[in-house]
Amino acid sequence: MPVETSLNRSMTSKAVKAIKPSGIRKFFDLLAGMDGAISLGVGEPDYITPWHIREAAIYALEHGRTMYTSNAGTPELRQEIARYLSRVHGLEYNPLGEIVVTVGVSEALDLAARAILDPGDEVIIPDPSYVSYPSCITLAGGIPVPVPTWEAESFELNPKDVAKAITPRTRAILLGYPANPTGAVMPYDKLAELAIVAERHNLIVLSDEIYNRLTYGVTVPSFASLPGMKERTVVLNGVSKAYSMTGWRIGYAAGPKEIIAGMTKIHQYTMLCASSMGQAAAIEALKNGEPDIQAMVEDYNHRRQVMVSGFNSLGLSCFDPRGAFYAFPSIKSTGLSSDEFAERLLKDEKVAVVPGTAFGQQGEGYLRCCYATSLPQIEESLERIKRFLSRL
Ligand code: PLP
C-alpha cells in the first residue's frame, strides 16, 4: 500500500468510507418513477399530522416565532417533555439540564454516540436493528458489536448473549424496542436482566424509544424506569412516529446531566437548535395528542392483523409483531435471498419491501414490510405477492 499523503488522498474520510449506504434508500430510488408501484418500504405513518398540531405551528408562525430558540430547545417544550415522561413512565427529569431537544431521534442518536464514545469504544446493538445504529457508532469513532437475535426467541435481545459480547472496550448498549425491523418488544424480566448486566459492567444504555407508544396488547416501560437505570440511561424519543410528524424533525434525549451537557455542547455548534415552529407543534402534540395516538394505534392494529395473517396464509410464516408498524415475514421457504426476493418482487410485481439484510446479517431470510399504509394497498400488495410466489 502506498503511503497516504495530501497528494494522493481520496476526498472522503475513512469513517465515511466505513459506513454502508442505507439499504432502505436503495429501494426508494428504484421505486421512484415506477407507475402503479406499492411501497411497503418506507417506515413512516401515512396519516397527515393531526390538525390541532398543525394549527399550533401556524399560530407560532403567525406570531412571528421564527427565530433560533435556546440550544437545548424552548423551555416550554422541555417542560412538556418532562411532564410527558413523568405522566407516561413515572420518570422525573429536570428540564434544565437533563433534556435536550434534537432534530429527530436521528440527531439524538448521533449526539449520544459522539458524546460518550472515544475511538475504539464498543457499543452492543441487537442484530437485526435500525439501519442508523451502526453508522452513528462508526461515525463517532466507535465499533458496533451486533449481538444476534432469533425468531425462535421472539427477536428479544438475550442478556446472556450480551454479557458474552462484553469486552474491556464495551462502553454502551444501544437498545431499540419496540424494534425496527422486527416489531419485537422486550418483556420486563429480560429488561431487568439486561439492567443487571449494564450495572455489573458499568455500561451506558442508549434506549431508542421512538415506537414506545405504538404497541398492540402490551405496554413497554422506558428502560430508564427500571430500578437503578435512570442514572445510566439516555432515553431517546420524539414525535415522529406516535403523532405522525416525521417531517417536523423533532426529537429529544433525556438522561444524566453530564451526557446531556455533552450532547448539547455538540448540538450548539452543529445544529444550534431544532426548528422553532416544529417545537411549537411538538408542545401541542405532547400536551393534547393522546387521543390521536389511540386512534392511530387502533387502526395500525387492524392493518397489522391483516398483513400478518395475510403472509401466514401465503405460506410465509410471520413473527407476531407487538410494536412499531412492521411485519417481518420469513421467506426462507422460497430459497431466495432477501435481496433477490425484494429485487424480483419490485421488478415483477411493483411491490417495494426492504430486505432483512439491510438491518444486519440476522435479517437474511426475512423482509421488512411496513403496514402504516392503507388497507386497500396492503390487500393489493398481498395479492401481488401471492402471484409472485405462484410463479417461483
Ligand atoms: N429510531 C428508529 C428505530 C427508527 O425506526 C427511526 C425512523 O425510522 C428513527 C429512530 C428516526 O426517527 P426520527 O424521525 O425521530 O429521526
Side-chain angles (χ1 to χ4, degrees):
M1 276 273 278
V3 178
E4 201 175 62
T5 70
S6 58
L7 295 176
N8 66 8
R9 273 189 74 166
S10 76
M11 294 183 94
T12 54
S13 67
K14 291 189 180 69
V16 161
K17 289 195 193 82
I19 59 174
K20 287 193 304 187
S22 160
I24 303 178
R25 289 285 142 189
K26 181 177 138 191
F27 278 81
F28 271 130
D29 296 344
L30 288 172
L31 192 69
M34 215 184 237
D35 266 352
I38 299 179
S39 176
L40 306 177
V42 197
E44 73 176 338
D46 64 336
Y47 298 103
I48 296 171
T49 305
W51 173 243
H52 65 106
I53 299 174
R54 283 184 276 158
E55 218 172 15
I58 294 167
Y59 183 88
L61 286 174
E62 274 176 352
H63 287 75
R65 308 224 174 98
T66 57
M67 318 297 185
Y68 292 133
T69 70
S70 126
N71 295 137
T74 62
E76 295 81 9
L77 177 54
R78 277 180 282 149
Q79 183 70 57
E80 209 48 54
I81 292 165
R83 280 200 198 105
Y84 173 90
L85 291 170
S86 169
R87 184 178 81 235
V88 176
H89 297 297
L91 287 164
E92 303 306 325
Y93 286 101
N94 185 343
L96 277 178
E98 292 183 326
I99 293 173
V100 57
V101 176
T102 57
V103 181
V105 168
S106 303
E107 195 214 351
L109 276 165
D110 176 45
L111 292 178
R114 287 197 278 161
I116 65 167
L117 298 179
D118 284 321
D121 282 344
E122 295 171 4
V123 180
I124 289 172
I125 56 172
D127 180 2
S129 61
Y130 181 48
V131 289
S132 292
Y133 297 166
S135 300
C136 283
I137 296 163
T138 304
L139 288 171
I143 300 170
V145 178
V147 168
T149 63
W150 311 89
E151 185 176 356
E153 294 181 8
S154 305
F155 293 112
E156 291 160 13
L157 186 60
N158 187 325
K160 292 185 184 61
D161 294 342
V162 170
K164 277 189 220 142
I166 291 172
T167 74
R169 291 310 307 262
T170 308
R171 177 74 162 140
I173 306 173
L174 171 43
L175 292 175
Y177 290 92
N180 176 4
T182 58
V185 297
M186 288 279 283
Y188 191 87
D189 57 337
K190 281 252 171 78
L191 289 175
E193 269 186 70
L194 270 179
I196 293 168
V197 174
E199 189 141 37
R200 187 175 304 141
H201 296 274
N202 194 24
L203 304 180
I204 294 166
V205 177
L206 305 179
S207 184
D208 176 355
E209 302 182 359
I210 187 83
Y211 294 109
N212 185 281
R213 302 301 304 284
L214 303 183
T215 57
Y216 314 101
V218 290
T219 50
V220 177
S222 169
F223 194 79
S225 68
L226 275 95
M229 285 301 105
K230 185 163 172 264
E231 299 79 69
R232 60 176 68 251
T233 300
V234 184
V235 174
L236 311 170
N237 206 338
V239 293
S240 285
K241 313 285 179 171
Y243 304 94
S244 210
M245 293 178 70
T246 46
W248 297 81
R249 312 308 304 128
I250 301 293
Y252 59 87
K257 263 202 166 73
E258 198 183 338
I259 299 179
I260 297 299
M263 292 172 68
T264 310
K265 205 162 150 191
I266 305 170
H267 172 84
Q268 75 184 344
Y269 291 121
T270 54
M271 289 295 158
L272 289 182
C273 65
S275 115
S276 55
M277 41 276 194
Q279 292 188 61
I283 294 172
E284 171 63 19
L286 295 172
K287 217 185 235 174
N288 297 315
E290 282 304 311
D292 304 306
I293 299 182
Q294 266 147 41
M296 287 190 256
V297 164
E298 225 169 87
D299 213 18
Y300 289 146
N301 195 20
H302 181 51
R303 301 176 193 191
R304 178 183 79 96
Q305 285 157 351
V306 171
M307 189 179 266
V308 170
S309 65
F311 280 126
N312 281 321
S313 66
L314 294 180
L316 301 180
S317 84
C318 189
F319 169 70
D320 183 26
R322 288 311 183 100
F325 36 48
Y326 307 105
F328 203 57
S330 166
I331 50 148
K332 290 178 182 168
S333 59
T334 66
L336 296 180
S337 72
S338 299
D339 251 52
E340 279 168 342
F341 193 111
E343 270 176 40
R344 283 175 57 178
L345 181 64
L346 183 60
K347 206 165 109 261
D348 296 0
E349 291 291 347
K350 296 186 179 177
V351 176
V353 296
V354 185
T357 41
F359 307 91
Q361 279 179 10
Q362 287 295 106
E364 184 54 274
Y366 296 91
L367 303 174
R368 190 196 75 170
C369 304
C370 177
Y371 53 80
T373 188
S374 73
L375 262 186
Q377 295 249 315
I378 291 173
E379 279 156 0
E380 171 63 19
S381 64
L382 287 167
E383 272 307 309
R384 294 186 189 186
I385 293 170
K386 184 175 175 184
R387 216 160 45 210
F388 175 79
L389 289 171
S390 72
R391 284 198 305 269
L392 284 182

